[in-house]
Structure formats: structure tokens, C-alpha cells
Amino acid sequence: AGGIMITASHNPKQDNGYKLYWSNGAQIIPPHDVGIAHAILSNLEPWQAYNYSDEAILAHSLATNVTTTIADAYFASISALCDRKAANGK
């Protein structure tokens, strides 16, 4: 497993980008970063064999829209923290 986080920086725009994380949750560091950077630079152009339209992506059997699931879990989580629900009208 791995993860990517899109970041925006308060520093100059060239510092904006994304951070890569290894399966242990730590940011990727040498020596792994060199191979990953090479793979990224070798694949800057999208593969022409694929249809990248929103409709095609959402219709793919592996695509899942998790927005509702995440929103429901988030609101359930913060609702549990509210100790004055009656005062808030809920």
C-alpha cells in the first residue's frame, strides 16, 4: 500500500507538489525516492490507450464513489463529540 498527498505551500510556487508515503506511513526517502522520481519522469504523458473522461472512469468496474460513505462517517464521528445536541437543535 502507499499514499499520495497533494500539498500547497506558503513557500514559492515551485515548492508546491505532492508527497509520497511508503506502506509504513513514512514519507519516501532515499534510496526509494530516486526510482520513484525516475518512474514519474518516464511517464509524464497519459497513456493514449485509455479514455480518461469522468463518465468512463466512473463507469469502470473498479471505480467507487466513496463521498457519501466518507461524509457519513465524518458526521457520525463529530456528532459523537457534541455534548450539547439539545442546545444545537439536534
Side-chain angles (χ1 to χ4, degrees):
I4 296 176
M5 179 184 353
I6 308 298
T7 65
S9 177
H10 61 278
N11 295 314
K13 67 180 180 178
Q14 59 270 22
D15 291 345
N16 292 341
Y18 56 88
K19 297 177 182 177
L20 301 174
Y21 294 87
W22 204 246
S23 60
N24 64 359
Q27 195 165 353
I28 293 177
I29 58 173
H32 306 293
D33 61 339
V34 174
I36 292 169
H38 177 71
I40 291 170
L41 292 174
S42 298
N43 292 283
L44 293 179
E45 292 296 321
W47 296 339
Q48 298 303 315
Y50 294 96
N51 179 355
Y52 290 106
S53 70
D54 290 347
E55 295 81 18
I57 291 169
L58 293 174
H60 193 281
S61 63
L62 296 177
T64 303
N65 186 341
V66 296
T67 305
T68 301
T69 304
I70 292 171
D72 289 349
Y74 171 75
F75 287 117
S77 173
I78 63 171
S79 177
L81 300 174
C82 181
D83 61 349
R84 299 178 183 252
K85 290 180 186 178
N88 291 322
K90 297 276 179 180

